[in-house]
Amino acid sequence: MIHMNMNVAEYQPLSLHLISSAFQRCRASEHLCRLSITLRLSVHSNVQISISDTGIGSCLEEFFDLKLCSEDFGSEYWDGVLSVTTTSISDDEIYNYLLSTRECVSEKKLTRLPSKPKNGVKFSGTEVCLLVSKNLDVLVGEIKCFLQKILVLKIPSVAIELVVEREDTPRSKDEYLFLANEWNPLPFSASNLERLKSGLEEYVLKHGNILNTQCHSCFPNSGTLKVGSGMVSQTKSRRNTGLVMEAVIVISEISDQTSTCFRACGAKTEVLYFKDFSSCTITQSSLKALQSIDWRSYGLELGSVENRGSNVLIEWENLPAHAHIDIVLHLYNEQYPIHCHTLIVLVPSTRRKIQLDSNLTKKAVKLALDDLREKHTGVLLSAHALKICSHAPDLAKTMAGLILSSEDIDFQTECFSLLGLQSQDVEGETVEACINEKIISVIEMNDKKPQRSKDVAPFLFEDDCGFQEPGLEYDEYEGENACSPMDIYN
């Protein structure tokens, strides 16, 4: 059996924490698993919740360690009793327990009920049941939203179903299926980061996984997405096993700007946060790290930041109306169990953990931003580069005028050749557009350099000899990487 560190419970409603625990048991299994959640509304308006999985057997300590929020613990919602049925592959019996979480004395919390023999059959699994008094529609909404986020991890070995039954309505039964590899399958050998990238792409294309397939109204094809990713690892040592932070950023452009089917977060950026393969509230250290990033160096003006518990919403001051940004962060231990039965986690001191979370978050997000800028021309240019780019059309027009008005035919021919144009019947707009394109490319190239780079921006016009006058250097402007306006004359 497995004992997992489930500190995320203090950030989750009880039902979501129990579902998360079942999901982890499925992940740790060597086989394909089913996770089934059944909600039954009785005629007395109570909801019976059954969470069953075919993963590895449960360790009862995870239920002893439950940290419940006041809403879950209130007597008007739940009596504090859990019914647990569990068995591991090596057990000969199926064990049944009643767990009273309100008991302060550990010995009184657990009541062992008669077990059942397995008669030589090899299988494993767990079922947890409880009775709550809560609005069924609210409960269904919470669980569906949680499962839609779990799909972002794209764990292919777990199939999840949600069944909703109402005793007051005969034959009333709603079924929802959540399959991570159903739409755009990845091989089982895919890395966690590859899965996270693909999972966030699908989350965006399907408007938060609300749809079964991509919204063709907003996204005629997946090529409208620009994706960047970054991963940073904590150095392994005798004191720790190494943490990994993965970050994926997706920039999407909505083709139909009149569409009304976009997600509830609207133009705001949704930041999803996972810890050890479970959706949870972002840590304060990671949240502060996000706010401390120099977003202006990527052409973004950070506005408001709203922590909503299940996610974070970021509002930008200067993001175009047709563009949208989504971010996902995943922090996990490199040795987080997949096929093991025990897990010992060495927890660093609070101060060290806060600093570690902050550093990993900031580095991973910056790597993802740099990856986006490297792969997509014109994306995430710094504020200074954008300012220079705004002057490029006027400068291109002036330079084109000088070339076309020259009476030196050899000079014109050489300029046309460097621009890749034929000298015959060249129109002014063509020359101007070509020069503008080269100016922008020089600015973009220099903007991608590390902040401390002292290299001179390349020549606007460069022949096959690659001649460059030595000794020309210009100081960095305001500590950013955009080139000086003089660079484009080199």
Side-chain angles (χ1 to χ4, degrees), residues 144 179 290 316 347 372 408 437 458 463 485:
K144 286 177 65 177
L179 299 175
L290 280 176
W316 307 100
V347 181
L372 261 170
D408 188 336
E437 182 180 340
D463 58 24

Side-chain angles (χ1 to χ4, degrees), residues 291-306:
Q291 294 173 299
S292 69
I293 291 174
D294 181 14
W295 294 102
R296 279 180 55 84
S297 65
Y298 297 96
L300 296 169
E301 290 279 353
L302 185 65
S304 63
V305 178
E306 180 185 358

Side-chain angles (χ1 to χ4, degrees), residues 39-106:
L39 307 178
R40 294 186 180 90
L41 178 64
S42 70
V43 292
H44 303 293
S45 299
N46 291 323
V47 181
Q48 181 184 4
I49 303 176
S50 169
I51 302 168
S52 61
D53 67 85
T54 59
I56 62 173
S58 171
C59 180
L60 294 177
E61 280 84 349
E62 67 179 272
F63 300 108
F64 281 102
D65 294 340
L66 280 176
K67 297 179 181 179
L68 310 175
C69 64
S70 58
E71 178 180 321
D72 284 324
F73 200 84
S75 58
E76 68 272 24
Y77 293 101
W78 177 46
D79 60 6
V81 176
L82 290 176
S83 171
V84 181
T85 301
T86 187
T87 186
S88 70
I89 198 72
S90 59
D91 290 334
D92 297 323
E93 296 180 306
I94 302 172
Y95 301 101
N96 299 289
Y97 303 93
L98 279 181
L99 185 68
S100 179
T101 59
R102 292 189 177 184
E103 284 288 350
C104 299
V105 182
S106 299

Side-chain angles (χ1 to χ4, degrees), residues 104-116:
C104 299
V105 182
S106 299
E107 290 76 10
K108 294 182 180 181
K109 281 189 174 183
L110 186 66
T111 302
R112 182 167 178 173
L113 303 177
S115 57
K116 298 179 181 180

Side-chain angles (χ1 to χ4, degrees), residues 332-391:
Y332 61 93
N333 193 289
E334 278 188 310
Q335 295 187 2
Y336 199 79
I338 296 180
H339 305 306
C340 60
H341 293 281
T342 58
L343 172 64
I344 299 175
V345 178
L346 299 178
V347 181
S349 65
T350 302
R351 182 176 180 181
R352 182 167 171 267
K353 182 179 181 297
I354 290 174
Q355 187 63 45
L356 185 60
D357 284 357
S358 178
N359 290 342
L360 292 175
T361 300
K362 194 169 184 177
K363 289 179 181 178
V365 171
K366 291 184 70 175
L367 285 174
L369 290 168
D370 291 338
D371 185 42
L372 261 170
R373 188 156 62 178
E374 187 67 31
K375 292 192 298 189
H376 301 282
T377 302
V379 172
L380 297 178
L381 291 178
S382 68
H384 186 54
L386 290 172
K387 184 177 180 180
I388 297 176
C389 285
S390 67
H391 299 291

Side-chain angles (χ1 to χ4, degrees), residues 435-486:
I435 294 175
N436 184 71
E437 182 180 340
K438 284 186 172 289
I439 293 173
I440 298 298
S441 67
V442 170
I443 296 172
E444 290 178 354
M445 187 182 303
N446 206 50
D447 197 49
K448 293 177 182 178
K449 293 178 181 177
Q451 288 191 0
R452 297 182 180 179
S453 173
K454 298 293 183 180
D455 294 341
V456 180
F459 283 113
L460 176 60
F461 301 123
E462 191 169 30
D463 58 24
D464 295 336
C465 298
F467 172 78
Q468 184 169 340
E469 185 178 346
L472 289 178
E473 288 191 10
Y474 296 95
D475 293 335
E476 291 177 333
Y477 182 78
E478 296 180 355
E480 297 189 55
N481 296 322
C483 60
S484 164
M486 291 300 297

